[in-house]
Amino acid sequence: MSSASPSVKPLAALCAVRTLMITLSRWCCRGCLALAASGVAALSALVIWTVFMRWVMGQPPHWAEELPQLVLVWTTLLAAVSCTRNRTHLSAGLLPLLVRSLRVQRITGRITDAMILIMLLLLAKAGMDLSAITMRQTTTALQIPAGIVYLSVPLCCTAMALIQLEHLLSPSAIGAETHETDATAPDNASSRQGDAP
């Protein structure tokens, strides 16, 4: 009993860390997605207002180009956080076609997750440095610190790194998804046949 407890404690701690990571990344993803949706709505309103003022009133606002660009950059990177969690970034999907072994696919997936995590941390550091440098400069139209635009990079890359760490700590989903699809396909087919009149 006492000899088993030291091995159980690290496992319990790992499970607790995983649960915390999943909860944090889920709330982070939801918050970023809500902000991104608000950004899309704001961007649409800004573009409509700018077009109206330019072509109908003949007096385009002084922020006509700068503010929509700022909103677009933040919206894109905030939405990328959700794409990272759902693994919906654009990908070629060639690995399952080239490699049939589920074990090799899992190992490759882990290596890919680790490399993406390192890249995101490097981007977050570089973005923080760039943001700190440009905070002393102001934008032309809005007269706000230029670093606000670049601040989106470290914040969103840190959120993506958190989610990527969750992917890295979670059991590999590549083989599980394949097995689940294969295992549930007959059940889904039979349930659809049962629903049919």
Side-chain angles (χ1 to χ4, degrees), residues 87 95-96 99-110 170-183:
R87 294 185 185 267
L95 184 64
V99 179
R100 296 290 182 189
S101 170
L102 292 177
R103 184 172 179 271
V104 174
Q105 287 182 17
R106 286 191 195 106
I107 292 169
T108 307
R110 293 290 184 180
S170 68
S172 181
I174 298 171
E177 286 175 3
T178 307
H179 289 306
E180 283 176 14
T181 306
D182 294 342

Side-chain angles (χ1 to χ4, degrees), residues 75-100:
T75 300
T76 303
L77 287 171
L78 285 168
V81 175
S82 177
C83 290
T84 301
R85 186 167 206 287
N86 298 325
R87 294 185 185 267
T88 53
H89 282 294
L90 182 64
S91 64
L94 295 176
L95 184 64
L97 300 175
L98 298 174
V99 179
R100 296 290 182 189

Side-chain angles (χ1 to χ4, degrees), residues 58-141:
Q59 297 176 344
H62 68 284
W63 45 260
E65 293 181 14
E66 201 170 280
L67 186 57
Q69 286 175 0
L70 174 68
V71 174
L72 178 64
V73 168
W74 273 93
T75 300
T76 303
L77 287 171
L78 285 168
V81 175
S82 177
C83 290
T84 301
R85 186 167 206 287
N86 298 325
R87 294 185 185 267
T88 53
H89 282 294
L90 182 64
S91 64
L94 295 176
L95 184 64
L97 300 175
L98 298 174
V99 179
R100 296 290 182 189
S101 170
L102 292 177
R103 184 172 179 271
V104 174
Q105 287 182 17
R106 286 191 195 106
I107 292 169
T108 307
R110 293 290 184 180
I111 293 169
T112 304
D113 284 340
M115 290 176 66
I116 291 172
L117 177 61
I118 292 167
M119 183 202 70
L120 287 169
L121 292 173
L122 290 173
L123 276 173
K125 172 69 170 68
M128 185 58 76
D129 293 343
L130 183 60
S131 180
I133 291 169
T134 55
M135 275 297 180
R136 293 185 292 269
Q137 303 168 5
T138 56
T139 60
T140 308

Side-chain angles (χ1 to χ4, degrees), residues 2-87:
S2 61
S3 61
S5 61
S7 63
V8 171
K9 285 181 181 178
L11 186 61
L14 182 63
C15 288
V17 168
R18 257 192 75 225
T19 304
L20 179 64
M21 295 298 297
I22 290 169
T23 305
L24 281 174
S25 68
R26 183 179 296 137
W27 282 105
C28 182
C29 177
R30 286 179 183 172
C32 288
L33 195 58
L35 288 171
S38 303
V40 170
L43 185 62
S44 302
L46 287 170
V47 170
I48 290 169
W49 180 254
T50 302
V51 170
F52 173 78
M53 290 298 291
R54 175 169 289 164
W55 297 106
V56 177
M57 305 301 291
Q59 297 176 344
H62 68 284
W63 45 260
E65 293 181 14
E66 201 170 280
L67 186 57
Q69 286 175 0
L70 174 68
V71 174
L72 178 64
V73 168
W74 273 93
T75 300
T76 303
L77 287 171
L78 285 168
V81 175
S82 177
C83 290
T84 301
R85 186 167 206 287
N86 298 325
R87 294 185 185 267

